[in-house]
Structures are given as structure tokens and as C-alpha cells.
Amino acid sequence: MNPFVGIFLFLFALLPSICAADDAKHRLSGHLLVAAVHMPDYRFMGTVIYIYEHSEMGALGLVINRPMASVPAAAIAEQFEIDVEAKDSNVQIFWGGPVEMSRGFVLHSADYVNDASKVVADGLVLTADKAILGAIMEGKGPVHSVFALGYAGWGPGQLERELFREDWLTLPTEPEFIFSEDPERMWKEAHDLYSVEL
């Protein structure tokens, strides 16, 4: 058995959630956090994080530029007993963050939605169940997707303090940047975009 298959044992658990807020102070859902050059937390040096929820209760996001493993689609289908003809391809898995590494998420284009999906922004959806994996293997899933294990989380006020310290840059984003940009170049490209935004 492929050694990477074991990491998928609990891949598609329930999506962690916090209450949404309309307050303008909590406006970062659907935005990117880009680690500053002087990022003090080594775990997040050079990262780009997609924030999928931000409220007075805190924030949740996925690191989208840290590829972790490439696993044969057929091995994943076998592991999860998904009765589909898996394509002869590999599934790229990303390190989504240090919190609950046994949980898996798919950030994807809006051409696929199921009951477990959360529409985050125009053209971007987050789904955390294995049905999406079967759909992708059958060619019925989203055209674009990022699979991630784990997530990044901040408690009430924590992200705001890190932003005040200038540990992060913030950027609006489009699906094209998330799904088309080379992960190895994404951090630099995001910094370049930030300079243009200024």
C-alpha cells in the first residue's frame, strides 16, 4: 500500500465552523493572508493562506502553497471504499495548517456544490466530505481544486493582533490566482501583487 494513503484515514471529517459576522472589522473572509518577510512563526514563513471564515470569534484559513504529497487517485479510492473508476492520475495534497491535521478540506471552483459545501466567495467553495472526492474521480467534480490536510486557526482578536504587528499582508483574490499560480512562486507573486495594490 502506498505509504501516503494512511494520511487520509480521517481526511474528510466535518468542517470546523465559527459564527459569521457582518461587522466591517471582520472583513477577511475570501481574502489572502500573505506571510510578511519577517514572519516570526517558523511554521508560517513563506505561506499564503486563504481565509474562509473571519468573525468576532476568530478566523479560519487554509495554507494553499505548501504541497505535501502526491497520492495515486486509485489508492485513495481504495482506502475510502469509493466505488468509482479512478482516473490514472495523482492527487496533490497540501499542508493546510497545523490545526487538526487529520481533517481534510477541498477548496474548489463553484462548478460543484453539495450539501457539505460552504460558498466562501464568488467562484470559491469549501467542501469537507468524501463525496467530492468520488465526484472528482468520476470526472463530475469541480474543474479546479486544492486538497488540504489541517487548517490554520486564530482565536478572538488573535489575527487582528498579528495584523497590527504586520506579521501578515492582506490581499483580495480571484480563483485564477489560487488555482493557476505555481505554489512554489505563489508567495513571491502575492508580495508583488500587494505592491501593485499599494
Side-chain angles (χ1 to χ4, degrees):
M1 180 181 288
N2 187 295
F4 294 116
V5 174
I7 66 176
F8 293 98
L9 186 58
F10 302 105
L11 179 59
F12 291 96
L14 292 176
L15 181 69
S17 181
I18 54 180
C19 297
D22 293 328
D23 190 280
K25 178 182 175 185
H26 304 106
R27 67 193 185 286
L28 294 179
S29 294
H31 284 63
L32 296 179
L33 284 185
V34 184
V37 174
H38 65 271
M39 167 57 68
D41 188 333
Y42 72 92
R43 298 171 301 172
F44 294 109
M45 292 175 66
T47 58
V48 178
I49 298 177
Y50 182 75
I51 297 295
Y52 64 84
E53 196 154 339
H54 184 209
S55 80
E56 61 187 4
M57 300 299 292
L60 299 172
L62 296 177
V63 177
I64 57 172
N65 69 326
R66 286 264 179 93
M68 189 168 65
S70 184
V71 181
I76 297 173
E78 180 181 350
Q79 173 73 21
F80 286 96
E81 300 178 350
I82 301 172
D83 188 20
V84 297
E85 287 292 327
K87 295 180 179 179
D88 186 20
S89 62
N90 288 346
V91 176
Q92 182 70 61
I93 304 302
F94 286 74
W95 180 77
V99 183
E100 296 191 78
M101 285 289 296
S102 62
R103 291 191 174 196
F105 308 87
V106 184
L107 180 64
H108 58 90
S109 50
D111 49 341
Y112 173 93
V113 177
N114 70 26
D115 290 341
S117 298
K118 170 187 172 66
V119 177
V120 182
D122 188 28
L124 285 163
V125 180
L126 192 70
T127 304
D129 69 355
K130 69 179 183 179
I132 188 174
L133 188 56
I136 290 171
M137 291 180 181
E138 289 182 309
K140 299 176 182 177
V143 172
H144 303 291
S145 61
V146 174
F147 292 77
L149 282 176
Y151 63 95
W154 294 263
Q158 183 181 0
L159 179 55
E160 286 73 17
R161 289 191 294 274
E162 293 179 12
L163 289 168
F164 181 77
R165 291 199 311 256
E166 299 184 340
D167 294 346
W168 302 98
L169 311 177
T170 62
L171 277 175
T173 192
E174 297 293 334
E176 291 76 18
F177 181 80
I178 292 171
F179 300 124
S180 301
E181 189 60 57
D182 179 353
E184 300 296 326
R185 294 180 46 81
M186 187 177 281
W187 181 76
K188 182 183 183 306
E189 292 296 328
H191 271 266
D192 290 347
L193 284 173
Y194 182 79
S195 297
V196 171
E197 290 283 327
L198 290 179

